[in-house]
Amino acid sequence: MSERDRSATLPTEGVPADELLARIDAARADDLDWRGGRAFSLVYNSGDEAHETLLHAVADRYLHENALNPFRYPSLLQMELDLVAMGADLFGTGPDCGAVTAGGSMSIFCAVQVARGHARAAMDIAEPQILAPITAHPAFAKACDLLDIELVTVPVEADGRVAPDRLADAIGPRTAMLVASAANYPFGVIDPVADVAALAAGRGLLCHVDACLGGFILPFWERLGEPVPPWDLRVEGVTSLSADLHKYGYAFKGASLVLYRSRDLLRHQHFWYDSWPGGLYASSTPAGTRPAPPIAGAWAALMHLGEAGFLRLTQDVRVARDGFLAGIDAADGAEVSPTPDIGVFQVTTPGRSHDAVGDAMDARGWNLDRQQGGLHVMLSPYHRQVADRFGADLADSLADVPLTADAPTESSVSTYGGIAGT
Ligand SMILES: Cc1ncc(COP(=O)(O)O)c(C=O)c1O
């Protein structure tokens, strides 16, 4: 990584707007260009220009508004209520049983916080523990770390799913919540939610379904005829669910939903404080000041797309999935493993270093994240337009990388998250 410039100081005189914008445009030359379909997972590209234009217009209208005090902005409050109600309707809970958060990690943080509050208030567990498959998103580990909760992970089977028996064996006296993903990030595979939730209910535990990824695609995936096992709050025993608006909800960044089976659970998420001279302070999520554009943008995204728009974009993702899978199949030396449930999957390169294949793909303009066991692909609607190119470039990249008997099957590098300055 090149040396970063850390010499900036506040300019004595402000830089003129034109000059500044020109400078920004020049600096952005090295940024990931997602518009051409060469980016994965960081941006969900709907490929719908009218949708994009609308999001810009809505963000513009709410640029400076602050959702910290929703009563000052009734329009924003109503949008937030609408988002929760629409999510509740889609995923099967009451219209007042959730909140809009800033992203998947924050929704998961809230669910873990609620599990801690519930464990202490209703289960007589002072130091709760959470059980999750090893494939659960790192946001669970982060939330547990921040909230001083023990996270115990269990391995998944060859198909990428957690076996409920393994979770059952790991349940102990401090276990407060079980986790299942719909779908998980590394493999795009849906855990057996009904079995995990039944196990949780049978033992008096909470059960969170992480549908940050799948929440806004699975309902439409199923309606288009794809096999989708039960996964949401309609499943008995599921007590909370996270679903990201800024992923397959096609909103811009900073919007997610966390929903609960009951308002009693949601209450553990709320914070009230009046032991200072500044009046009563109340917040529904860990955030204080909350930017309005993500809320308004997510509301506009759902309203503008409607069911018909979601079905159309989901169909695009299906076409992209089919095209990518066909290209990978045709390329000599790559496999998709394990078999995914959605348009998110891992590509393995048996006998070849997948890091080296990833480098060869990078050289051709692709930007695939490396996992320990393979390359990560996450498809957006726009990717249907580049599926053929992907297959051809993968075939060429594989041809570039020699077969080695001792090619590592696991790599130590993973580039999905990062810290500025490291
Ligand atoms: C399954 C899953 N859960 C949680 C998250 C975290 O979401 P965010 O990056 O919005 O915090 C992701 C992100 O990709 C995810 O795929």
Side-chain angles (χ1 to χ4, degrees):
M1 195 164 282
S2 58
E3 199 52 38
R4 300 290 175 211
D5 181 356
R6 294 174 190 273
S7 63
T9 54
L10 194 63
T12 314
E13 300 293 333
V15 182
D18 291 356
E19 190 187 324
L20 209 52
L21 289 173
R23 219 202 264 182
I24 289 172
D25 289 343
R28 290 182 72 207
D30 291 338
D31 289 355
L32 176 61
D33 176 17
W34 54 270
R35 290 178 202 279
R38 301 289 179 114
F40 301 89
S41 86
L42 291 172
V43 180
Y44 293 70
N45 183 353
S46 72
D48 179 337
E49 277 180 32
H51 184 74
E52 183 67 12
T53 306
L54 171 69
L55 295 189
H56 280 275
V58 174
D60 195 39
R61 280 170 176 64
Y62 280 94
L63 194 60
H64 293 291
E65 276 67 7
N66 185 346
L68 170 61
N69 185 344
F71 304 111
R72 299 275 181 225
Y73 303 103
S75 68
L76 209 49
L77 170 61
Q78 190 56 53
M79 286 173 174
E80 192 161 0
L81 297 177
D82 289 353
L83 282 171
V84 172
M86 284 190 270
D89 183 50
L90 266 180
F91 311 133
T93 189
D96 59 350
C97 294
V100 179
T101 78
S105 299
M106 195 187 279
S107 288
I108 287 168
F109 180 93
C110 290
V112 172
Q113 179 196 353
V114 165
R116 188 182 67 170
H118 177 78
R120 289 180 178 162
M123 299 170 82
D124 202 21
I125 302 176
E127 293 183 16
Q129 177 196 68
I130 287 176
L131 296 186
I134 192 80
T135 45
H137 193 272
F140 288 96
K142 189 190 324 191
C144 287
D145 190 42
L146 292 171
L147 291 162
D148 203 15
I149 288 177
E150 186 189 5
L151 176 71
V152 175
T153 57
V154 304
V156 293
E157 307 306 301
D159 64 1
R161 280 172 246 281
V162 71
D165 284 356
R166 285 196 196 259
L167 286 172
D169 290 346
I171 292 174
R174 293 193 295 112
T175 308
M177 183 163 82
L178 306 184
V179 172
S181 304
N184 65 36
Y185 173 94
F187 308 133
V189 158
I190 303 171
D191 284 318
V193 170
D195 294 342
V196 175
L199 173 66
R203 303 287 188 95
L205 309 176
L206 299 183
C207 174
H208 181 82
V209 173
D210 178 13
C212 284
L213 206 45
F216 282 93
I217 198 161
L218 288 176
F220 310 103
W221 200 248
E222 183 177 14
R223 282 169 60 178
L224 290 171
E226 294 283 341
V228 176
W231 59 276
D232 63 11
L233 281 150
R234 271 171 279 259
V235 176
E236 206 174 332
V238 174
T239 52
S240 57
L241 181 144
S242 44
D244 285 359
L245 295 152
H246 66 199
K247 291 192 169 69
Y248 287 110
Y250 306 108
F252 53 85
K253 300 291 174 284
S256 170
L257 286 174
V258 61
L259 298 165
Y260 299 92
R261 175 163 293 279
S262 72
R263 217 174 142 73
D264 283 346
L265 283 173
L266 171 66
R267 283 205 183 90
H268 291 292
Q269 191 179 302
H270 292 160
F271 181 78
W272 306 87
Y273 191 77
D274 61 2
S275 302
W276 74 319
L280 174 65
Y281 176 99
S283 63
S284 59
T285 73
T289 283
R290 288 198 301 153
I295 298 171
W299 182 85
L302 296 201
M303 295 299 289
H304 183 61
L305 287 174
E307 289 184 353
F310 274 104
L311 284 168
R312 173 173 53 82
L313 294 181
T314 304
Q315 175 61 11
D316 286 347
V317 176
R318 281 177 87 209
V319 173
R321 189 264 323 254
D322 292 346
F324 271 63
L325 292 187
I328 293 163
D329 198 38
D332 196 15
E335 288 172 8
V336 170
S337 172
T339 304
D341 288 318
I342 57 173
V344 175
F345 45 84
Q346 172 173 270
V347 180
T348 60
T349 55
R352 288 183 176 85
S353 153
H354 64 269
D355 288 335
V357 176
D359 290 347
M361 287 295 275
D362 282 356
R364 290 174 168 83
W366 299 94
N367 301 277
L368 295 166
D369 287 341
R370 274 61 149 178
Q371 307 200 126
Q372 284 89 337
L375 301 169
H376 191 250
V377 174
M378 184 178 284
L379 297 173
S380 294
Y382 188 85
H383 284 121
R384 66 178 289 174
Q385 301 188 37
V386 296
D388 291 347
R389 185 73 256 158
F390 181 89
D393 282 350
L394 182 63
D396 290 347
S397 296
L398 286 161
D400 283 354
V401 176
L403 269 173
T404 39
D406 57 352
T409 52
E410 294 226 331
S411 104
S412 55
V413 286
S414 171
T415 49
Y416 159 52
I419 296 177
T422 56

